[in-house]
Amino acid sequence: QVQFVESGGGLVQPGGSLRLSCAASGINFNIYAMGWYRQVPGKQRELVAIIYSIGSTNYADSVKGRFTISRDNAKSTVYLQMNSLKPEDTAVYYCNRARLGVLAWGQGTQVTVSS
């Protein structure tokens, strides 16, 4: 079955960096646009970055210029490099398909930005 396993979160000070990873299994990873989502308690899950199968990318305005999404099709893994982190980036981060509907969610990885 489909499985996404996110990792790399943690506690970081404002201005710091983190690199998230998401390993996918059970899907034909190479052909799908993949996305990183984040969710704060009490709010809807937000799509913050997309990478298409050909490698082009799109970002939410809130993270543009600070976050970089990438993928390694050989490893069925998608990454999110997060720089210049702000307290408002604090959330649980998930990966999933970005188009054609989402699949089963993984457990996510907690990112906390605080001094």
Side-chain angles (χ1 to χ4, degrees):
Q1 75 258 21
V2 175
Q3 188 175 23
F4 298 111
V5 179
E6 299 91 350
S7 62
L11 172 63
V12 63
Q13 292 187 341
S17 298
L18 283 174
R19 187 187 191 219
L20 307 184
S21 299
C22 171
S25 58
I27 63 168
N28 192 352
F29 179 86
N30 297 6
I31 68 172
Y32 292 119
M34 294 297 299
W36 279 99
Y37 300 74
R38 67 186 182 187
Q39 188 169 28
V40 175
K43 293 190 176 181
Q44 282 196 332
R45 207 164 300 194
E46 172 192 20
L47 177 60
V48 298
I50 303 171
I51 184 164
Y52 296 90
S53 58
I54 59 172
S56 56
T57 58
N58 275 321
Y59 299 92
D61 288 344
S62 58
V63 307
K64 199 171 295 182
R66 301 186 297 119
F67 290 11
T68 302
I69 189 171
S70 59
R71 65 191 296 161
D72 184 337
N73 288 338
K75 296 181 178 179
S76 297
T77 299
V78 61
Y79 303 97
L80 187 68
Q81 178 66 44
M82 305 187 297
N83 298 328
S84 302
L85 283 161
K86 304 176 180 180
E88 51 263 44
D89 295 319
T90 295
V92 180
Y93 284 72
Y94 304 85
C95 73
N96 212 308
R97 272 194 327 198
R99 295 290 183 263
L100 302 177
V102 297
L103 303 170
W105 294 98
Q107 83 288 350
T109 187
Q110 174 71 48
V111 172
T112 303
V113 185
S114 175
S115 55

